[in-house]
Amino acid sequence: MSSKDSALNSNAYLEAKGDSDTTIATASSSTDEKTPAIEYTAEEERRVVRKIDLKVVPILTVLYLLSFLDRSNIGNARIEGLVADIGIKDYSFLLSIFFVGYVLFEVPSNIILKRTSPPFWLPTISLIWGVLTVVMGLVHDEWGIYITRFLLGAVEAGLFPGSVFVFSMFYPRKERHYRVSMLLSGAAGWAWIFIMEGLLTVVVSVVAYWLVPTYPQESTLFTPREKAIIKARMQEDHDDADEEEFHWDGVWQAFRDPFVYLYAMLFHGFAFALYTVSLFMPSIISDLGYASWQAQLMTVPPYAFAFLVTMTTAHVSFLVDRRLPFIIGAAGVALVGYIVQLTATTAAGKYAAVFITAAGVYAGNALLLSLPSENVGGQTKRATALAMQIAIGDVGAIAGTLLYRQPLGGLANSAYKVSHGLTVLWLAVGVTAASLLWVLLAKENRRRDEALKAAEAEGEAAALKALALTPEERRKLGDRRLDWRYHI
């Protein structure tokens, strides 16, 4: 296949992946002559993807599960006597101070990740937060636990956006939301809750120095041919597989991109619900009249149900190649759950509402958190955009943890009814952002289609000129390239 054909078609991906004997050919781009043409079968591709799934996803999922446990165990510790034993005067402030650290250190952490490497940075922050979680079990004064909780947020900040960035180096854009969905949905006395989970994190983080993958082309986990297939799969999806040097202009591009702020506001609306569900679920169930050990056990079925709904939604989203309609639909499911919580008069009804709420909240968050990894081009810009989404979005988490309190100002807020009503308003912000993204991204895709058609109408030379870019030009343009299409 000639480079001319490759440019005119925007990719050189032959049809029909279903048959293992089908040959998939990816030609080198006319702008990158160092990349040789490669042919591989669909069966080879499946083997490579399975190997990536085994080498890349499990360790990052385990680290994120531990981070989620280490931040959320505060809810279980509360019903085991944390507040009374230490004399905490403002439990909601204790929760929110974590997210202050989280928000402040998201972008700096991902910049450090880009300037160092994933196998160094991600295990290092995991080791530090594991130690901090152990310290939380040893601290017995109010301000000591406030400070430790802030530091925990600051250190944990880099794991999720860093992990999604690693996924974006191994998987084409259309496959990333699966792995993000798996990452998000995979999540005695109060002091031992902290100490045991913190020690587990310390042990796993040390092992992670040898397990967290580096960039595909530098990795020793894959053969040269497997690396070539990974690179070809990325190129066919108009993405770059080679490690890109850190560039400050990529950071500034992310800060100037209005779509990045919409991704952030989308998460802002959902983050209010995501973290209040995880942090307050034990207390909500305990308020239904169950003992503390029963309340902790009864949080497991809603999470299991949410996992099944999240992965099913991710699969259907992949089949129809749409994200935003499912995000809006998930918000609708969560809204139904909150309405049931507000109106149910029995413990069984309120507990059933927790299932509905958790399913909608987790399914929506899993899809929306993958959007910047799918839609932002250029590795430095993408790393920054992922961190910005979490940082700005988690302001919603700060608001949520401050507004889930009893009483709430002069309001009794019995059964968190006022707080649930506020969550509905925040989800409406998320739905608004998703709707705007759907309209604006679709409009931009149409504009680029029309521009390419206009260039082709002027002749083959004009079309080639519109698509032919040097590697440096491709890096600088990123998702602003004419051949880039946003996932909606």
Side-chain angles (χ1 to χ4, degrees):
M1 180 178 289
S2 69
S3 59
K4 180 188 295 184
D5 291 334
S6 175
L8 285 172
N9 292 327
S10 299
N11 64 59
Y13 194 49
L14 300 185
E15 298 182 0
K17 288 191 177 185
D19 187 351
S20 63
D21 294 325
T22 300
T23 298
I24 300 172
T26 303
S28 63
S29 166
S30 59
T31 62
D32 188 4
E33 299 300 338
K34 293 181 181 179
T35 304
I38 177 174
E39 294 186 351
Y40 56 92
T41 66
E43 179 57 33
E44 277 188 295
E45 182 182 27
R46 282 193 287 270
R47 283 201 302 269
V48 169
V49 173
R50 282 197 296 270
K51 187 170 183 178
I52 298 172
D53 285 341
L54 290 173
K55 300 293 186 181
V56 176
V57 177
I59 182 60
L60 296 177
T61 301
V62 169
L63 288 177
Y64 183 70
L65 174 61
L66 290 172
S67 79
F68 202 82
L69 287 173
D70 289 346
R71 85 182 61 159
S72 303
N73 56 19
I74 193 83
N76 292 326
R78 180 192 188 189
I79 63 176
E80 290 293 340
L82 167 69
V83 173
D85 290 354
I86 292 186
I88 292 174
K89 300 179 182 64
D90 193 336
Y91 178 70
S92 293
F93 178 75
L94 176 62
L95 297 182
S96 65
I97 196 68
F98 170 91
F99 292 104
V100 174
Y102 211 77
V103 166
L104 291 176
F105 287 90
E106 286 285 352
V107 174
S109 184
N110 252 27
I111 288 176
I112 295 172
L113 170 72
K114 193 70 187 73
R115 302 200 75 162
T116 56
S117 69
F120 165 75
W121 185 241
L122 298 183
T124 297
I125 60 176
S126 302
L127 177 61
I128 296 171
W129 93 57
V131 172
L132 286 169
T133 305
V134 174
V135 170
M136 286 185 68
L138 303 175
V139 170
H140 289 275
D141 67 272
E142 185 178 14
W143 276 101
I145 204 164
Y146 285 155
I147 293 169
T148 308
R149 187 82 179 159
F150 170 82
L151 294 174
L152 184 66
V155 176
E156 280 193 27
L159 182 70
F160 188 87
S163 297
V164 177
F165 177 73
V166 172
F167 288 162
S168 76
M169 297 300 298
F170 284 90
Y171 296 98
R173 294 191 294 148
K174 60 183 178 291
E175 297 176 8
R176 291 170 194 166
H177 73 288
Y178 263 126
R179 281 74 192 180
V180 175
S181 297
M182 194 172 298
L183 190 70
L184 184 68
S185 60
W190 65 264
W192 289 104
I193 293 173
F194 291 127
I195 292 172
M196 297 308 296
E197 291 182 3
L199 288 173
L200 178 61
T201 300
V202 171
V203 172
V204 173
S205 65
V206 172
V207 176
Y209 279 103
W210 288 271
L211 295 181
V212 172
T214 188
Y215 299 109
Q217 301 308 312
E218 297 179 4
S219 177
T220 59
L221 299 174
F222 302 93
T223 66
R225 178 161 180 79
E226 289 170 338
K227 291 179 183 179
I229 293 173
I230 292 172
K231 186 170 185 176
R233 279 165 41 84
M234 299 292 285
Q235 288 178 333
E236 80 201 21
D237 204 23
H238 308 293
D239 214 343
D240 300 316
D242 292 328
E243 182 186 358
E244 171 192 292
E245 289 185 9
F246 176 83
H247 293 278
W248 279 106
D249 69 297
V251 176
W252 310 136
Q253 282 184 34
F255 276 95
R256 293 194 301 266
D257 189 340
F259 291 148
V260 171
Y261 292 96
L262 282 175
Y263 300 137
M265 290 308 299
L266 174 57
F267 181 49
H268 178 90
F270 275 78
F272 189 106
L274 175 65
Y275 290 110
T276 53
V277 164
S278 61
L279 292 170
F280 286 92
M281 189 186 295
S283 296
I284 290 171
I285 294 174
S286 180
D287 285 350
L288 297 180
Y290 298 98
S292 65
W293 66 270
Q294 291 175 311
Q296 292 190 41
L297 286 176
M298 290 178 71
T299 64
V300 176
Y303 281 128
F305 180 67
F307 172 79
L308 293 175
V309 172
T310 297
M311 296 311 299
T312 301
T313 304
H315 181 64
V316 177
S317 169
F318 172 78
L319 292 177
V320 302
D321 195 24
R322 288 291 181 271
R323 306 288 181 269
L324 289 163
F326 287 91
I327 293 170
I328 294 171
V333 172
L335 288 170
V336 170
Y338 282 109
I339 291 170
V340 175
Q341 287 193 57
L342 288 167
T343 58
T345 56
T346 64
K350 291 181 182 294
Y351 186 53
V354 172
F355 281 77
I356 302 170
T357 301
V361 167
Y362 276 87
N365 275 284
L367 291 179
L368 70 88
L369 287 169
S370 73
L371 273 178
S373 75
E374 298 180 38
N375 282 343
V376 178
Q379 293 169 20
T380 303
K381 180 183 178 183
R382 184 187 308 138
T384 307
L386 286 165
M388 287 176 62
Q389 183 192 38
I390 305 295
I392 297 172
D394 272 339
V395 175
I398 294 173
T401 52
L402 288 173
L403 293 173
Y404 264 77
R405 61 170 73 222
Q406 294 173 323
L408 179 59
L411 303 173
N413 198 21
S414 61
Y416 295 102
K417 286 187 176 181
V418 177
S419 300
H420 292 335
L422 291 170
T423 308
V424 170
L425 293 179
W426 250 268
L427 282 172
V429 172
V431 170
T432 301
S435 301
L436 285 172
L437 281 167
W438 191 352
V439 172
L440 295 175
L441 294 178
K443 181 179 179 181
E444 179 60 18
N445 283 346
R446 288 194 300 270
R447 186 193 68 79
R448 295 179 187 185
D449 288 338
E450 292 167 1
L452 186 56
K453 287 179 182 178
E456 289 173 346
E458 293 178 16
E460 189 175 281
L464 283 171
K465 184 178 180 181
L467 291 173
L469 300 168
T470 66
E472 181 63 14
E473 288 172 333
R474 290 174 64 84
R475 181 192 69 78
K476 287 187 175 180
L477 285 173
D479 54 272
R480 295 173 296 168
R481 301 196 314 262
L482 192 59
D483 63 346
W484 185 283
R485 296 296 178 272
Y486 294 107
H487 288 176
I488 57 174

